[in-house]
Amino acid sequence: MTDAASNTPAAPPPSPWERERPARARVAPARAPLSRERVVEAAFTVLDRQGLDGLSMRQVAAELGVTVSALYAHVRSKDDLLELMYTRLFDGFELPEPDPERWQEQVRDYARSGRRRLRSHRDMARISMAHVPFTAELLPHVEALLAIFRTAGLPDRITAEAGDLISTYIDGFVLEEGMWQDRADQHGDDGSSLARPDWREMAEEMRNYFASLPEEDFPHLRALSGLMVSDSSDERFDIGVEIILRGLASYLPDRDNGRSGD
């Protein structure tokens, strides 16, 4: 018996004694086992999408497709998860051996890399400001930064404050950057995008405003109107670091040793 359309033999009818075979079940692809690393990665995904206020253990569990209780086999609490996320930012980061001739350059590099780390994920500056960095994983980085200051010759009392001063500056600067970015990403109640503030346009408006102030009441704002607001965040950040470095250098026994970056 042939199929007239294709001139090929037609399939024979099933025999009466042949039982119908059940359809083969589709095998779901094997899911990667849950681990602390996967939990942290999922938390970063939620953080970047929803921000710190929207980050919850329930959202992380949903991102992974597991129950909330499954997470607690790998992290103790949300605070523990935030600490793990902050610590993850330092993976692969190493400070160089302290060089008293290049200490300012080394601190500049540290500050810039710290800003890049915090900017790599949304709201990390907020997490950093609520996190005490004296954990077993982060202590070596604290030790290495203090070594740069002490080897440069800064007095111990100044060294003890300098690390926190640099970190607070980085956190605060990136926090401000994040707040402006959040404003730029805001949407209206109907889901429509709101007008996004352009920093360069705002900077120009602020400069023009300062320049228009009455000179008799605001002589300094008028005089500095062209410099008060920079349209480059990188430039603003670097100038702030320089102000801190020159202040620290003033505490060196021989101030010439602190002028290597001039």
Side-chain angles (χ1 to χ4, degrees):
M1 185 176 180
T2 60
D3 185 336
S6 61
N7 199 30
T8 57
S15 60
W17 58 82
E18 186 177 22
R19 295 180 178 179
E20 184 178 353
R21 294 187 179 93
R24 179 177 295 180
R26 296 183 62 184
V27 179
R31 178 183 294 177
L34 196 60
S35 64
R36 176 176 291 181
E37 289 70 26
R38 288 191 64 211
V39 173
V40 172
E41 287 300 325
F44 276 130
T45 299
V46 175
L47 181 71
D48 289 336
R49 183 175 62 235
Q50 299 178 205
L52 182 57
D53 293 332
L55 176 63
S56 67
M57 299 297 277
R58 186 177 300 278
Q59 290 290 341
V60 174
E63 183 69 26
L64 290 165
V66 301
T67 62
V68 175
S69 60
L71 300 182
Y72 292 106
H74 304 280
V75 295
R76 294 187 301 272
S77 63
K78 181 180 176 180
D79 286 342
D80 184 37
L81 177 57
L82 294 178
E83 183 175 301
L84 291 170
M85 294 168 71
Y86 181 70
T87 301
R88 173 73 68 85
L89 296 184
F90 289 83
D91 282 359
F93 173 73
E94 295 290 341
L95 276 167
E97 288 296 316
D99 181 349
E101 299 301 320
R102 298 179 58 251
W103 74 273
Q104 291 196 40
E105 182 179 345
Q106 290 180 326
V107 175
R108 286 189 197 98
D109 290 343
Y110 172 82
R112 289 167 182 161
S113 66
R115 179 178 172 226
R116 285 194 299 270
R117 283 196 302 275
L118 293 182
R119 284 167 54 92
S120 66
H121 291 286
R122 182 179 175 184
D123 282 347
M124 280 308 304
R126 289 177 60 188
I127 294 175
S128 176
M129 294 181 83
H131 178 75
V132 178
F134 303 130
T135 61
E137 295 85 359
L138 297 181
L139 276 179
H141 299 296
V142 177
E143 174 71 13
L145 181 60
L146 295 179
I148 291 176
F149 291 129
R150 293 195 78 200
T151 303
L154 289 175
D156 284 353
R157 186 69 188 91
I158 302 304
T159 293
E161 299 293 343
D164 182 63
L165 176 65
I166 290 288
S167 296
T168 301
Y169 172 70
I170 298 170
D171 286 344
F173 194 95
V174 177
L175 178 64
E176 181 191 53
E177 288 185 295
M179 292 171 64
W180 278 101
Q181 184 60 51
D182 285 345
R183 286 187 61 185
D185 292 339
Q186 282 180 352
H187 290 77
D189 293 337
D190 59 355
S192 61
S193 295
L194 298 175
R196 296 189 173 192
D198 182 275
W199 174 249
R200 289 181 175 83
E201 291 180 6
M202 291 190 65
E204 184 63 23
E205 289 177 358
M206 293 172 72
R207 284 191 288 264
N208 291 338
Y209 172 70
F210 292 144
S212 71
L213 292 172
E215 186 170 10
E216 60 274 16
D217 297 323
F218 304 98
H220 303 299
L221 276 172
R222 276 182 60 102
L224 300 174
S225 60
L227 302 171
M228 284 292 293
V229 184
S230 169
D231 58 7
S232 169
S233 290
D234 294 343
E235 181 184 12
R236 289 177 58 233
F237 182 80
D238 286 346
I239 289 175
V241 172
E242 290 304 311
I243 292 172
I244 294 173
L245 286 174
R246 295 190 184 208
L248 292 174
S250 70
Y251 287 94
L252 291 172
D254 180 358
R255 292 193 181 190
D256 289 340
N257 289 339
R259 300 295 186 182
S260 59
D262 291 357

